[in-house]
Amino acid sequence: MPHLQILNSIEKQALEHIAASRSDEISKRAKILLELNNGENQRNIVKKLGTAQQTVTNWKKKWTSSTITAENWDSAIAKANEILGVNSGRPKKCKSTEVSKIVEISEWSKNRKLSRSKHHYHMQIAEEATKRGLPVLSPRSIGRILEAQPQ
């Protein structure tokens, strides 16, 4: 019995590209869809890719329930990125303008107060940032922002 193809030819090419060039997590999602498209049964995909049965089912459902039509390379990549969750995750808490204000506060705080520890220093910056109308951030988030800044 012939298997049902879930990908058109351009989607297949786009997923092959993604499977070869993206992070392990995104690559595995693309490989699941490629294996399904090749007619592989879900149990074999689970064994081959080391994933859960529900994971295979979920990605098949996400792909087949999409209303996005891919007619060229760009639309196929866009569809794959959207469905596979490329660039997804929790949005950043701070805009770049807010980051620059936090850095400015950190420079001001260095000259003003002595801190007992790095955590205490970050806590002081978080409190001052909140006083100045910036979003409420944890001391750890402040630390991550400052660590990401060039020295």
Side-chain angles (χ1 to χ4, degrees), residues 131-143:
K131 285 180 195 172
R132 294 187 187 190
L134 295 171
V136 175
L137 295 169
S138 69
R140 183 64 191 118
S141 292
I142 295 290

Side-chain angles (χ1 to χ4, degrees), residues 105-122:
I105 293 167
S106 76
E107 293 300 319
W108 171 79
S109 295
K110 278 181 190 175
N111 299 325
R112 190 163 173 257
K113 298 178 184 173
L114 294 174
S115 297
R116 296 186 303 262
S117 66
K118 192 183 244 186
H119 177 78
H120 186 256
Y121 171 65
H122 295 157

Side-chain angles (χ1 to χ4, degrees), residues 93-103 133-135 145:
K93 285 186 173 182
C94 267
K95 298 179 176 95
S96 60
T97 55
E98 294 167 339
V99 168
S100 64
K101 288 178 183 174
I102 289 168
V103 172
L134 295 171
I145 290 168

Side-chain angles (χ1 to χ4, degrees), residues 57-73:
T57 302
N58 288 346
W59 288 111
K60 180 180 181 181
K61 184 190 262 185
K62 284 182 185 194
W63 187 270
T64 57
S65 66
S66 172
T67 58
I68 302 169
T69 304
E71 297 171 354
N72 57 41
W73 177 258

